[in-house]
Amino acid sequence: MTPLATPLRGRCLCGAVTFEVDPPLNWTGHCHCESCRRQTSSPMTSFFGVNTERARWTGAAPAVYVSSPGVSRMFCANCGAPMAYHSEAFAHETHFYVASLEDPRVLAPDQHFHYGEKLPWLEIGDHLIKHHAGAG
């Protein structure tokens, strides 16, 4: 992963919920799981993982939806934009959406997660690592 400037900054659509993340990041990747697709209304979404102590909310705190036992999805209560994901399975990490960054061009995901759940009509022509299940 290419070294990044510090900190990375991001925001929701309306700008109310903002965050900063201090590198280094743990990973970047595209997720194809059904719950991420439903939460974002998209065929896949792109995340980056960072140790939770390296991240901070700098604007309004996000609203939280517990989508399944041990899984919290954070979003802006005003505009509805998804902001982050946290799971007890990755208790030390927070996963942020790459597209919520001020400049999402600075991060290029380098792997796919839950590739076995990829929608059949989504053509993927990259040479990234493809995990059939999640990380780990």
Side-chain angles (χ1 to χ4, degrees):
M1 191 176 304
T2 304
L4 298 167
T6 182
L8 291 174
R9 292 181 179 86
R11 66 177 181 84
C12 65
L13 180 62
C14 72
V17 176
T18 58
F19 66 87
E20 290 184 350
V21 171
D22 294 322
L25 307 181
N26 298 340
W27 54 267
T28 61
H30 301 295
C31 185
H32 298 271
C33 80
E34 181 182 3
S35 61
C36 282
R37 289 196 318 260
R38 294 216 177 271
Q39 202 256 336
T40 62
S41 294
S42 61
M44 68 177 193
T45 194
S46 304
F47 285 108
F48 63 93
V50 64
N51 289 355
T52 299
E53 69 270 4
R54 296 184 159 284
R56 61 202 158 276
W57 300 106
T58 55
V64 177
Y65 173 67
V66 177
S67 60
S68 58
V71 174
S72 299
R73 295 177 180 273
M74 289 147 268
F75 63 97
C76 176
N78 187 51
C79 67
M83 299 301 299
Y85 168 95
H86 187 267
S87 171
E88 289 177 5
F90 308 100
H92 69 287
E93 283 187 342
T94 299
H95 305 166
F96 288 89
Y97 293 87
V98 172
S100 68
L101 290 171
E102 286 180 349
D103 185 2
R105 296 172 297 181
V106 301
L107 286 185
D110 58 10
Q111 56 198 314
H112 292 268
F113 298 109
H114 298 283
Y115 197 75
E117 295 183 48
K118 180 184 78 62
L119 292 172
W121 49 259
L122 180 63
E123 292 187 30
I124 305 290
D126 62 42
H127 300 288
L128 303 181
I129 297 166
K130 294 170 177 72
H131 304 279
H132 239 47

